[in-house]
Amino acid sequence: GRLRPVAGVLPAVVSAARAGRTRIVVPIGNLAEASLVEGIDVVGAATLAEVARRHGADIEVPEVPPDIPEPLPGDGPERADLSDVVGQRDAVEALIVAAAGGHHLLMSGPPGAGKTMLARRLPGILPPLDERAALAVASIRSLSGERVNSLSRVPPIEAPHHTASIVSLVGGGSRVIRPGAIARASEGVLFLDEAGEFPASVLDALRQPLERGDIEIHRAGASVRYPARFQLVLATNPCPCGNHGVRGAACECAPFAIRRYLGRLSGPLLDRVDIELPMRRVARIGADPATDRVTSAQARERVARARDSAARRLHATPWRRNVDVSGPWLREGPAAPDRSVRGPLDAALERGALTLRGYDRVLRVAWTLADMDGRMRLEPGDIGRALFMKKGIAA
């Protein structure tokens, strides 16, 4: 009757605590994970007989070695610093803006421009997770079958390979419904490198989670809803060979191949991206001295100040991040910009350069820019910069 550790113990203990339970018994191999929940007495048992005797049975408990997994390895190497990025000042600034407002980001450029390097450094400049978010992240890890023995405050990052299937991205399974990369990236970053190589059906599966903040998985006889409050970062080359439009490089791709490659990023998906950042390769070493580069600590401080400013401005609303604010409140709420301020944005909407969803996303980025400057009202320059970051349109 030896008890073996199982997956999903942490969210089960969380649910038991919310239901008013004060004591819970778990396999001894899950004791460290279950003990992460405060306010509940967690007991580890090695055998079923031990549980029965704890409940009053007059039986002898056999001596068996407890099923305890090997300890997890220590923390990995220290996260890379943003100051490692050379010669991409505009890209670094766009990354900081994305972190400050929780905005979704698309980086397009040739291989070697630094897209992956930037994306990998995004979690290091995001604010640390609070208790609720850290517990939610750990619960998803537990449901995925991973061992959890501590609450990490660092936002997670998931980077599935471009050969990943819809099931691995969304989640699923034949007997037990497991969370996919979308759910595991909740409260953190979902990074899709070589986005143009992903099947279009896989990319389009992101549209509902991006809009709703959760993902529903339906199987015969069961359905599950997982959180999906992630920050999406896409990186793509301009064509299959990566040299289209690159000075000094020859592109061997046919025009049809280029259209098909970029066409996998559908219009509805791109409409949900807040910042579209074109990038070029670094052309000169030394153009960006180390003393002028932004460190992760400096960027993290700017992001924290901007988020504090947004939280103060939104204190009377249910939102705390600009990315979460509803469109009607942005356009018609008490802080809606005057017609003179949003003029370039209205003009872009009228000529079809923006959809209404894109209009709202530009407003969200504009508010983030205002928060980074410590202002409580939008100015025309905020709209202009946000419009340029979304569509490359000069106001």
Side-chain angles (χ1 to χ4, degrees):
R2 187 170 65 163
L3 297 179
R4 299 177 179 176
V6 295
V9 162
L10 181 58
V13 176
V14 171
S15 297
R18 290 174 179 170
R21 301 296 188 268
T22 57
R23 177 176 295 175
I24 188 168
V25 181
V26 300
I28 197 169
N30 292 119
L31 181 59
E33 175 182 336
S35 299
L36 296 174
V37 182
E38 298 180 353
I40 192 167
D41 181 20
V42 181
V43 178
T47 65
L48 192 60
E50 185 178 342
V51 179
R53 190 172 71 172
R54 183 174 291 275
H55 285 77
D58 185 14
I59 59 174
E60 181 180 353
V61 178
E63 293 186 6
V64 297
D67 192 343
I68 301 178
E70 292 293 326
L72 290 171
D75 295 335
E78 186 177 352
R79 290 182 177 271
D81 198 272
L82 193 60
S83 61
D84 297 334
V85 180
V86 178
Q88 295 286 8
R89 295 184 182 181
D90 292 342
V92 169
E93 185 65 21
L95 190 75
I96 295 173
V97 173
H103 303 295
H104 307 306
L105 173 67
L106 167 65
M107 295 180 286
S108 59
K115 304 185 295 294
T116 302
M117 177 180 286
L118 281 165
R120 292 288 183 180
R121 283 153 178 78
L122 178 57
I125 67 175
L126 292 173
L129 301 177
D130 57 21
E131 185 75 18
R132 179 204 61 82
L135 197 58
V137 169
S139 296
I140 292 295
R141 298 291 177 186
S142 177
L143 288 168
S144 301
E146 300 180 24
R147 285 165 39 216
V148 179
N149 60 5
S150 63
L151 292 182
S152 174
R153 303 293 177 169
V154 179
I157 180 170
E158 287 288 323
H161 193 260
H162 60 77
T163 58
S165 64
I166 292 183
V167 172
S168 66
L169 194 69
V170 173
S174 56
R175 295 174 58 186
V176 179
I177 302 179
R178 300 288 191 191
I182 287 177
R184 293 196 302 272
S186 190
E187 307 294 344
V189 178
L190 178 64
F191 174 43
L192 301 187
D193 200 5
E194 306 292 346
E197 299 287 350
F198 279 81
S201 58
V202 173
L203 293 173
D204 285 339
L206 297 170
R207 287 157 55 179
Q208 180 191 14
L210 285 172
E211 204 69 27
R212 292 180 39 176
D214 59 33
I215 179 72
E216 287 192 47
I217 305 171
H218 296 273
R219 294 293 182 268
S223 64
V224 175
R225 176 180 293 177
Y226 289 123
R229 298 179 71 252
F230 59 86
Q231 188 169 350
L232 177 65
V233 178
L234 301 169
T236 185
N237 294 332
C239 68
C241 77
N243 291 327
H244 180 66
V246 179
R247 185 177 59 181
C251 175
E252 301 177 355
C253 303
F256 173 75
I258 297 175
R259 289 195 301 270
R260 183 176 60 182
Y261 184 81
L262 297 178
R264 292 179 180 176
L265 299 175
S266 65
L269 176 60
L270 292 178
D271 210 25
R272 289 165 169 83
V273 173
D274 303 285
I275 299 173
E276 299 180 22
L277 176 66
M279 295 180 63
R280 297 180 178 179
R281 289 175 181 156
V282 177
R284 184 163 60 93
I285 298 297
D288 188 13
T291 54
D292 294 338
R293 297 176 201 164
V294 179
T295 66
S296 290
Q298 293 169 336
R300 195 161 48 243
E301 184 178 351
R302 291 180 61 192
V303 169
R305 286 201 306 266
R307 291 207 177 192
D308 288 343
S309 177
R312 289 194 302 270
R313 179 170 51 81
L314 299 171
H315 73 279
T317 73
W319 311 292
R320 291 298 175 267
R321 300 185 308 166
N322 289 319
V323 72
D324 300 321
V325 180
S326 71
W329 192 90
L330 288 167
R331 289 177 263 113
E332 304 164 8
D338 298 333
R339 184 178 299 273
S340 59
V341 174
R342 68 172 193 266
L345 196 54
D346 291 337
L349 182 67
E350 290 174 2
R351 65 175 180 265
L354 282 176
T355 64
L356 186 58
R357 180 186 287 116
Y359 186 103
D360 293 341
R361 293 197 172 276
V362 171
L363 279 177
R364 293 186 183 104
V365 175
W367 273 115
T368 297
L369 294 171
D371 290 331
M372 293 180 71
D373 291 339
R375 287 182 278 101
M376 301 297 287
R377 301 293 299 181
L378 286 183
E379 296 181 355
D382 301 322
I383 296 291
R385 289 175 60 195
L387 195 56
F388 185 80
M389 295 176 80
K390 170 63 178 173
K391 285 293 187 180
I393 300 174

